[in-house]
Amino acid sequence: MTEPIRLSKLMSERGLCSRREADSYIERGLVFVDGRRVSELGTKVDPACAIRLDTQASAQQQQRVTILLHKPVGYVSGQPEPGYQPAVALIRSDTLWQDGRAGRAFHPAHLKGLAPAGRLDIDSTGLLVLTQDGRIAKQLIGEDSGVEKEYLVRVEGRLDDKGLALLNHGLSLDGRKLRPARVGWQNADQLRFILKEGRKRQIRRMCELVGLKVAGLKRVRIGRVRLGELPLGQWRYLRDDEAF
């Protein structure tokens, strides 16, 4: 017999919402399990059950925004550090890319609960995702996320075939092996990295292990969403026809 599982955990695993959002929906009676309304926190259910959100919860999810920012160097992606501004400070009406409105007008409500879905360190530039949607955050930074992130990395130093092979597979950080990556030369001084994980300062540390120094790092793609022509320091909304 299959062990019952917490409803909020199951909802998160199925990508319906985050666990925190699930608890909020359950508490407000907006979740149905096998056609029955559930409103008690901590309820355990059959892992094979049918789960449906009330139309009110579904409508709330559709109103949530996801923002794509071309982060400049000098901004931190998460919590602000002394002397530096968080990237979310760039999300203003005057920095909204005119070509990326996606039928939306900026509203201050879009900043409420807006959080980065992944890191991009202070010395790096490129595509940073900020979202109000727990489903997207889980998709991009959940433990079992397999979404690719692509980077262009300017390097200094010499790299032989053995070092390149190690960058692709064979390195460890903090005592844990890294997942296989796809790394190759983009041009004479620039490597292209495609990763499926995001350890702290991972690419810089990988390069150090093979004798390289990173002179510049830019993220150009997350999943199927590309940075494209989005100008530095500007942002746009994720369109309804886009998915990571």
Side-chain angles (χ1 to χ4, degrees):
M1 184 177 171
T2 311
E3 283 287 318
I5 184 173
R6 279 182 75 110
L7 176 56
S8 58
K9 185 173 189 289
L10 184 59
M11 289 171 69
S12 173
E13 287 178 355
R14 290 190 185 178
L16 294 170
C17 56
S18 68
R19 289 185 72 163
R20 184 183 298 175
E21 288 168 336
D23 283 337
S24 172
Y25 292 150
I26 293 166
E27 211 167 20
R28 290 154 58 200
L30 301 178
V31 182
F32 293 85
V33 176
D34 291 332
R36 179 177 59 88
R37 190 188 301 271
V38 175
S39 57
E40 185 177 337
L41 288 177
T43 296
K44 291 191 174 183
V45 297
D46 186 324
C49 69
I51 303 172
R52 179 174 63 83
L53 291 179
D54 185 278
T55 52
Q56 184 183 336
S58 299
Q60 284 180 1
Q61 287 188 330
Q62 287 169 5
Q63 289 170 3
R64 290 184 178 145
V65 300
T66 295
I67 281 169
L68 310 175
L69 170 69
H70 188 164
K71 187 190 88 67
V73 168
Y75 285 81
V76 292
S77 53
Q79 293 297 317
E81 298 173 12
Y84 297 101
Q85 280 195 298
V88 72
L90 288 168
I91 311 303
R92 310 185 303 264
S93 58
D94 61 307
T95 52
L96 171 57
W97 187 35
Q98 295 302 305
D99 290 355
R101 290 182 176 276
R104 291 180 184 266
F106 174 70
H107 191 281
H110 295 162
L111 294 172
K112 186 178 180 183
L114 190 67
R119 322 182 173 89
L120 193 58
D121 69 53
I122 196 166
D123 301 317
S124 302
T125 183
L127 182 58
L128 180 67
V129 176
L130 302 110
T131 187
Q132 294 176 322
D133 193 330
R135 297 169 299 173
I136 286 178
K138 182 178 185 298
Q139 186 183 22
L140 298 187
I141 58 176
E143 283 184 17
D144 54 353
S145 174
V147 176
E148 288 185 347
K149 286 93 173 176
E150 181 176 341
Y151 305 80
L152 296 180
V153 186
R154 271 192 306 111
V155 292
E156 297 171 352
R158 291 176 57 85
L159 180 68
D160 58 19
D161 290 344
K162 183 181 177 183
L164 184 60
L166 283 171
L167 288 174
N168 277 273
H169 193 209
L171 295 177
S172 298
L173 291 177
D174 306 319
R176 283 170 49 212
K177 284 200 168 187
L178 293 172
R179 292 186 195 177
R182 280 157 46 209
V183 185
W185 287 105
Q186 174 76 1
N187 54 45
D189 67 349
Q190 195 171 53
L191 289 166
R192 178 188 300 272
F193 278 71
I194 298 176
L195 308 178
K196 287 189 176 180
E197 62 187 327
R199 307 258 198 104
K200 190 171 183 180
R201 297 179 76 83
Q202 178 173 336
I203 290 175
R204 294 175 190 277
R205 295 166 71 195
M206 288 172 72
C207 287
E208 285 173 9
L209 289 173
V210 296
L212 294 176
K213 181 182 178 183
V214 171
L217 190 155
K218 182 178 187 179
R219 183 157 62 203
V220 295
R221 177 175 65 86
I222 298 177
R224 294 197 295 266
V225 177
R226 292 190 171 275
L227 179 65
E229 297 178 358
L230 180 61
L232 184 67
Q234 294 188 31
W235 62 276
R236 69 175 180 86
Y237 290 104
L238 183 73
R239 300 190 309 266
D240 292 338
D241 65 340
E242 290 181 301
F244 293 100

